[in-house]
Amino acid sequence: MNARIIDGKAIAADIAIENALRAARLRDAGTVPGLAVVIVGDDPASKVYVRNKALACEKAGLNSWVHALPANTPQERLIAFLRSLNADPTVHGILVQLPLPRPLDARAVIEAIDPAKDVDGFHYQNVGALVVGDPAFYPCTPWGVMKMLEHEGVGVEGMHAVIVGRSTIVGKPMALMLVNAGATVTVCHSKTRDLPAVTRQADLLVAAVGKARMIGADMVKPGAVVIDVGINRLPDGKLCGDVDYEAVAKVASRITPVPGGVGPMTIAMLVANTVRGAEKAAGLAAPMPTRIA
Ligand code: GUN
């Protein structure tokens, strides 16, 4: 069997067109959607991500501002800066790029963001809404995975979804979204015993660990849908996912590549969330995520 490739780049391009149309409608009504990205310190990977986020906003006709603060920025100064963004009516989305340098407390920083501008969906208020299954800003990467599955016509209801990775940014919100959508969900992590025995039960396998090619063909049930959230840099500089793509593509029914799979979806959903924030602020009927519980 050879898996069908889920083309995240193409799906993200469709969403980008939708984002641009919605942004144009807002501009006609006098509001230019704006995303403020805050980066603290000079982690090279974070800088690349931040630049890509800002570029995607510009392409869709949004304003974007990248605020680069020094690594030794005191916590109170960062929080005061976020409060000024909260109060700025031209800013509809605020994103603080993670991880933050020590000794900054990421949780305290996230809680200082107005939940109505928290386009990452990391604030307790948005996390709580996701737990309940109410519309809110949902974290962009797992929300992008849900959109991808929807676009591919993969109905997750009744499926056994196995997620490898329990991060706050991907694994845990992914589990909640899938549970809300009617899947039976198992979350695996570094302490899971006999991981391959669990992953082999998956109809839908989501890998979000950050370990190059750790999911081999022997860990995948024939015909499973495999979503690879990992982005790992190999010693030769190339990018690869958490899934051994060549081997698993022979077993799975569908698979996402790296690059060109989940990555572009994350950015498309970030722009979508920012546009939605602007729609709400402008009092235009906001297309909210479907209530999924
Ligand atoms: N670092 C890695 N992924 C993300 C993300 O989705 N949002 C933010 N703010 N930082 C990240």
Side-chain angles (χ1 to χ4, degrees), residues 53 95-98 120 122 141 169:
K53 289 170 183 179
L95 178 151
V96 178
Q97 186 63 25
L98 301 176
D120 258 332
F122 293 165
T141 299
I169 292 181

Side-chain angles (χ1 to χ4, degrees), residues 59-231:
K59 271 197 192 160
L62 280 70
N63 283 328
S64 72
W65 302 273
V66 176
H67 300 282
L69 307 180
N72 63 356
T73 301
Q75 173 115 342
E76 314 78 68
R77 190 162 316 154
L78 175 55
I79 287 179
F81 182 61
L82 291 173
R83 295 206 197 289
S84 73
L85 295 176
N86 288 344
D88 183 342
T90 66
V91 173
H92 306 99
I94 302 170
L95 178 151
V96 178
Q97 186 63 25
L98 301 176
L100 287 171
R102 284 173 201 245
L104 291 170
D105 174 354
R107 184 36 64 186
V109 168
I110 289 163
E111 293 313 307
I113 299 171
D114 178 350
K117 297 189 179 186
D118 166 40
V119 283
D120 258 332
F122 293 165
H123 189 285
Y124 288 143
Q125 188 168 312
N126 288 315
V127 176
L130 171 59
V131 172
V132 172
D134 276 348
F137 286 131
Y138 288 172
C140 301
T141 299
W143 187 233
V145 170
M146 295 303 288
K147 284 282 163 198
M148 249 180 165
L149 294 169
E150 187 186 305
H151 191 279
E152 287 291 298
V154 175
V156 300
E157 194 174 80
M159 273 190 169
H160 184 187
V162 175
I163 301 162
V164 188
R166 56 169 157 175
S167 71
T168 307
I169 292 181
V170 183
K172 282 193 236 176
M174 185 83 261
L176 289 162
M177 286 176 209
L178 286 167
V179 135
N180 287 347
T184 300
V185 178
T186 302
V187 181
C188 301
H189 44 78
S190 54
K191 304 283 187 290
T192 298
R193 291 192 194 129
D194 199 355
L195 179 66
V198 184
T199 57
R200 274 197 298 267
Q201 294 172 34
D203 305 310
L204 169 63
L205 182 59
V206 181
V209 190
K211 267 191 172 176
R213 297 185 183 136
M214 73 160 286
I215 305 287
D218 59 327
M219 298 172 74
V220 178
K221 176 162 84 175
V225 175
V226 177
I227 304 288
D228 191 351
V229 182
I231 302 179

